[in-house]
């Protein structure tokens, strides 16, 4: 019995020890599992963005991609196959190097980017460009294309443009420069693209010069065209039938196109009555053409750049009839054909004038005072290369131009005295540019800055190159630029690029807070997960 009792005690002791050892092992195992779970939770919290994005619909992820810079979009496409697919399907704008070796890769490129609606094909002038077959193949993959830009595609012919036009009938905007196809290729686009709204043609080498030139237009596209821009064409007047037939045309821009435009303008304004914008630079036009243009009663924007045959008489005709004029740019090329007389006519009739740029024109205090007094909405004024604009004229502007916000003075005989006049005038003035005015010193500008602390002042004495000058013509050659100040120009904050998918993903999370569509989606998934757990 005693032996049995002691054996029973030993047995119970062993069982107790085993139980304690198993409990300790269980406790250790549970602790290890809890640690792993905690580590996993921590890892998920770090990589939580991956879990969030993995449940986002493709549409939401595509919306995020569209807010990124092109470089960040490329990096995102390398994260995983899903991102590669969505990034390709959500890309609507594509720019390609259009060299001849692009041709074999066209099927693979456009099978990935199958939603492209805006395409740019640019080739280096020293390289061989794609040909007709490649353009036709592209058009077969991009039948919903709305915008096409061709640059230096010298191997394209009329046949390639015909094949393209037959496949891309939704085209709304065509811009071509330094190409070699001719009138037949252009007419093919006008005949098969009824939705075309904007046409820009520069250095189209295939157009025959002289009387033998084939006329271009009007075609079915003439009914929808709203903007035509012709640059550096040997015979731009072969586009006459198109311009005359574009009854809904609103903007006409002619830059360095040979031919006598005085003969064409009467025909244009007789049939096209809704034009609101006309740019003319270095073309053969005189007061005859301006008198015809004066019949465009809805005209709001007029640029006369280096057209020396235009005088005060022609400008007066436009001013008397085009009373809705808002923007007037004149580069007189120092020909002294436009001066006080024409500007006084503008001051008397164009009371809605908001922007006035005078380059190589010599106005005096008489016309400037009348402009300042009558044009109460004048907000932007540029006076460049004038021998008559001095301190007295600047003082007149400072006293009379109440609404003026931006003032540019370049290469004029203005001194520090003119700067002092600005200190007490133009109450709405926010920006002043003074360039190459030898009489204006840094001390005078500093005094103006001290007295008008909120005024932004740019001083360029002319000792350094003018970085603001553009390659374009007209007013931009003189560094004059008045960009519109609208809210739509305020872009989204830029996102720094990253070499890793995780850091890029974390930057994507910053965009989620600003997108209501994605936020609603996250809330929806959050609510569904919460309800399933409860």
């Amino acid at each position: 019995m005693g032996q049995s009792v002691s054996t029973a005690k030993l047995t119970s002791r062993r069982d107790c020890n085993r139980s304690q050892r198993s409990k300790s092992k269980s406790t250790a195992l549970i602790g290890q599992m809890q640690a792993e779970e905690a580590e996993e939770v921590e890892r998920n919290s770090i990589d939580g963005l991956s879990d969030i994005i993995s449940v986002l619909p493709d549409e939401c992820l595509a919306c995020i991609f569209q807010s990124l810079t092109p470089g960040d979009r490329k990096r995102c496409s390398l994260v995983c196959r899903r991102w590669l697919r969505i990034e390709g399907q959500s890309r609507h704008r594509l720019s390609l190097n259009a060299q001849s070796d692009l041709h074999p890769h066209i099927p693979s490129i456009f099978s990935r980017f199958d939603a492209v609606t805006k395409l740019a094909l640019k080739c280096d002038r020293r390289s061989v460009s794609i040909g007709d077959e490649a353009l036709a193949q592209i058009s077969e993959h991009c039948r919903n294309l709305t915008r096409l830009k061709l640059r230096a595609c010298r191997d394209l012919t009329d046949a390639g443009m015909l094949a393209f036009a037959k496949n891309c009938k939704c085209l709304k905007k065509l811009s071509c420069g330094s190409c070699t196809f001719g009138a037949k290729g252009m007419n093919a686009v006008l005949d098969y693209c009824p939705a075309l709204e904007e046409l820009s043609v520069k250095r189209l080498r295939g157009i025959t010069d002289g009387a033998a030139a084939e006329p271009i237009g009007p075609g079915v596209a003439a009914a929808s065209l709203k903007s035509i821009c012709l640059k550096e064409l040997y015979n731009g007047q072969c586009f006459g039938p198109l311009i005359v037939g574009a009854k809904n045309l609103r903007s006409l821009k002619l830059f360095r196109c040979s031919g006598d435009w005085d003969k064409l303008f009467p025909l244009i304004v007789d049939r096209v009555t809704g034009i609101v914008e006309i740019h003319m630079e270095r073309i053969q036009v005189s007061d005859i053409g301006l008198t015809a243009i004066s019949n465009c009663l809805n005209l709001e924007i007029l640029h006369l750049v280096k057209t020396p045959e235009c005088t005060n008489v022609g400008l007066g005709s436009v001013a008397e009839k085009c009373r809705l004029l808002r923007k007037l740019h004149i580069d007189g090329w120092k020909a002294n054909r436009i001066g006080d007389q024409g500007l006084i006519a503008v001051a008397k009739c164009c009371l809605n004038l908001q922007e006035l740029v005078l380059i190589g024109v010599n106005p005096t205090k008489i016309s400037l005072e009348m402009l300042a007094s009558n044009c109460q909405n004048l907000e932007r004024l540029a006076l460049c290369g004038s021998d008559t604009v001095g301190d007295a004229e600047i003082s007149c502007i400072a006293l009379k131009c109440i609404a003026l916000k931006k003032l540019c003075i370049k290469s004029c005989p203005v001194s520090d005295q003119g700067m002092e006049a600005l200190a007490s005038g133009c109450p709405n003035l926010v920006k002043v540019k003074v360039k190459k005015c030898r009489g204006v010193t840094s001390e005078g500008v500093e005094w103006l800055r001290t007295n008008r602390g909120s005024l932004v002042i740019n001083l360029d004495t002319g000792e350094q190159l003018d970085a603001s000058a553009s390659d374009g013509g007209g007013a931009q050659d003189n560094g004059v630029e008045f960009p519109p100040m609208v809210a739509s120009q305020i872009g989204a904050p830029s996102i720094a690029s990253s070499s890793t998918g995780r850091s890029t993903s974390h930057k994507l999370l910053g965009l989620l807070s600003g997108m209501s569509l994605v936020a609603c989606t996250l809330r929806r998934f959050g609510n569904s997960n919460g309800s399933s757990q409860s």
Side-chain angles (χ1 to χ4, degrees):
M1 290 289 292
Q3 189 176 0
S4 300
V5 172
S6 66
T7 302
K9 287 181 179 179
L10 287 174
T11 302
S12 104
R13 243 188 236 113
R14 289 194 192 113
D15 291 341
C16 182
N17 292 336
R18 284 189 194 136
S19 175
Q20 289 177 353
R21 283 198 299 269
S22 67
K23 284 182 181 179
S24 62
K25 287 182 181 179
S26 299
T27 304
L29 182 60
I30 291 173
Q32 182 180 357
M33 291 176 63
Q34 289 176 343
E36 290 177 356
E37 289 178 0
E39 191 176 332
E40 182 69 20
V41 169
E42 183 178 359
R43 190 184 306 114
N44 287 340
S45 65
I46 295 176
D47 293 338
L49 180 60
S50 302
D51 294 336
I52 294 175
I53 292 185
S54 64
V55 297
L56 280 179
D58 291 354
E59 294 79 7
C60 293
L61 195 55
C63 184
I64 297 174
F65 288 157
Q66 290 171 0
S67 301
L68 300 179
T69 62
D72 283 332
R73 289 194 63 150
K74 292 178 182 178
R75 295 179 184 91
C76 287
S77 66
L78 302 177
V79 172
C80 62
R81 291 183 179 179
R82 179 178 177 239
W83 286 30
L84 176 68
R85 173 179 56 83
I86 296 174
E87 194 278 330
Q89 292 176 349
S90 63
R91 187 184 287 270
H92 302 296
R93 187 191 301 267
L94 192 62
S95 180
L96 298 176
N97 186 358
Q99 295 183 9
S100 57
D101 54 3
L102 175 68
H103 189 186
H105 305 287
I106 289 176
S108 59
I109 291 175
F110 289 97
S111 61
R112 175 186 171 190
F113 302 109
D114 57 356
V116 171
T117 58
K118 302 173 185 178
L119 178 64
L121 300 173
K122 303 177 182 179
C123 183
D124 187 272
R125 296 183 179 182
R126 295 167 294 181
S127 304
V128 179
S129 73
I130 59 173
D132 295 340
E133 186 179 353
L135 184 62
Q137 193 173 9
I138 290 174
S139 66
E140 292 175 357
H141 288 85
C142 302
R143 293 182 180 270
N144 293 324
L145 204 65
T146 59
R147 294 188 181 184
L148 175 66
K149 179 183 290 186
L150 300 174
R151 289 291 180 271
C153 295
R154 288 181 164 83
D155 284 78
L156 292 181
T157 69
D158 294 333
M161 295 302 296
L162 175 61
F164 168 83
K166 288 182 177 180
N167 290 328
C168 298
K169 297 183 178 181
C170 298
L171 196 68
K172 292 184 178 181
K173 183 177 181 179
L174 173 63
S175 175
C176 53
S178 301
C179 296
T180 53
F181 62 88
K184 292 182 179 178
M186 187 60 62
N187 279 324
V189 174
L190 299 174
D191 289 335
Y192 288 96
C193 301
L196 192 66
E197 296 180 356
E198 297 182 34
L199 178 63
S200 178
V201 183
K202 181 178 181 180
R203 291 195 295 268
L204 192 60
R205 304 305 187 190
I207 297 179
T208 306
D209 193 11
E214 181 179 348
I216 295 177
V220 297
S224 59
L225 267 175
K226 297 179 180 178
S227 175
I228 296 177
C229 179
L230 306 178
K231 294 183 179 181
E232 300 178 18
L233 298 178
Y234 293 122
N235 193 356
Q237 291 195 344
C238 63
F239 283 85
L242 174 63
I243 301 174
V244 173
K247 296 182 178 181
N248 295 314
L249 190 67
R250 295 180 59 82
S251 175
L252 177 62
K253 300 179 181 180
L254 305 172
F255 299 87
R256 300 176 294 281
C257 294
S258 61
D260 186 2
W261 290 91
D262 281 340
K263 297 179 180 179
L264 191 58
F265 271 117
L267 299 176
I268 294 174
V269 300
D270 185 48
R271 300 186 183 183
V272 185
T273 59
I275 295 181
V276 298
E277 181 178 12
I278 294 180
H279 289 228
M280 296 184 291
E281 178 177 334
R282 292 192 185 184
I283 67 171
Q284 186 178 340
V285 64
S286 68
D287 290 341
I288 297 175
L290 285 182
T291 302
I293 290 174
S294 67
N295 293 314
C296 299
L297 304 182
N298 296 317
L299 191 67
E300 298 180 10
I301 302 173
L302 177 62
H303 287 214
L304 295 176
V305 180
K306 298 176 181 176
T307 54
E309 296 183 25
C310 295
T311 70
N312 288 319
V313 177
L315 180 60
S317 299
V318 173
E320 289 176 6
K321 293 184 179 180
C322 304
R323 305 204 168 207
L324 299 179
L325 202 64
R326 294 185 298 107
K327 297 182 180 181
L328 177 62
H329 288 216
I330 301 175
D331 186 342
W333 219 0
K334 291 187 178 296
N336 290 326
R337 308 288 302 270
I338 294 179
D340 277 345
Q341 183 182 346
L343 295 176
I344 289 173
V346 172
K348 288 181 178 179
C349 304
C350 304
L351 305 183
N352 293 321
L353 196 65
Q354 297 176 0
E355 179 173 310
L356 177 62
V357 175
L358 300 177
I359 302 170
V361 178
N362 292 322
T364 66
K365 184 179 178 182
I366 299 173
S367 59
L368 289 177
E369 186 173 10
M370 188 170 291
L371 284 165
S373 300
N374 294 355
C375 303
Q376 295 293 319
N377 295 323
L378 188 63
E379 296 181 351
R380 299 173 293 275
L381 175 63
L383 303 168
C384 305
S386 175
D387 298 329
T388 58
V389 176
D391 293 332
E393 285 70 26
I394 298 300
S395 299
C396 174
I397 292 171
L399 181 63
K400 299 286 186 178
C401 292
I402 305 301
L404 195 65
K405 294 182 179 179
K406 294 184 178 181
L407 175 63
C408 177
I409 310 170
K410 181 176 180 181
S411 300
C412 294
V414 179
S415 69
D416 289 344
Q417 185 178 350
M419 298 297 101
E420 292 179 7
L422 291 176
S424 58
C426 299
N428 292 307
L429 196 63
V430 296
K431 189 171 185 179
V432 176
K433 287 185 178 181
V434 181
K435 299 185 177 182
K436 300 181 181 179
C437 297
R438 296 182 179 179
V440 179
T441 65
S442 57
E443 290 79 7
V445 170
E446 189 61 32
W447 184 89
L448 176 59
R449 185 178 287 112
T450 302
N451 287 269
R452 294 283 293 268
S454 61
L455 191 62
V456 178
I457 306 173
N458 292 341
L459 174 64
D460 179 10
T461 60
E463 296 177 355
Q464 298 177 348
L465 293 177
D466 183 8
S468 66
S470 172
D471 292 333
Q476 291 182 350
D477 284 342
N478 290 272
V480 179
E481 183 180 2
F482 292 129
M485 301 172 62
V486 292
S488 60
Q489 291 182 338
I490 301 176
S494 60
I495 301 173
S497 60
S498 173
S499 59
T500 61
R502 177 180 297 180
S503 56
T504 303
S505 301
H506 279 283
K507 290 165 187 173
L508 290 177
L509 186 60
L511 293 173
L512 300 181
S513 59
M515 299 181 181
S516 57
L517 175 63
V518 179
C520 294
T521 305
L522 293 176
R523 285 196 297 269
R524 185 184 65 198
F525 278 100
N527 293 335
S528 62
N529 293 335
S531 60
S532 61
Q533 291 175 358
S534 61

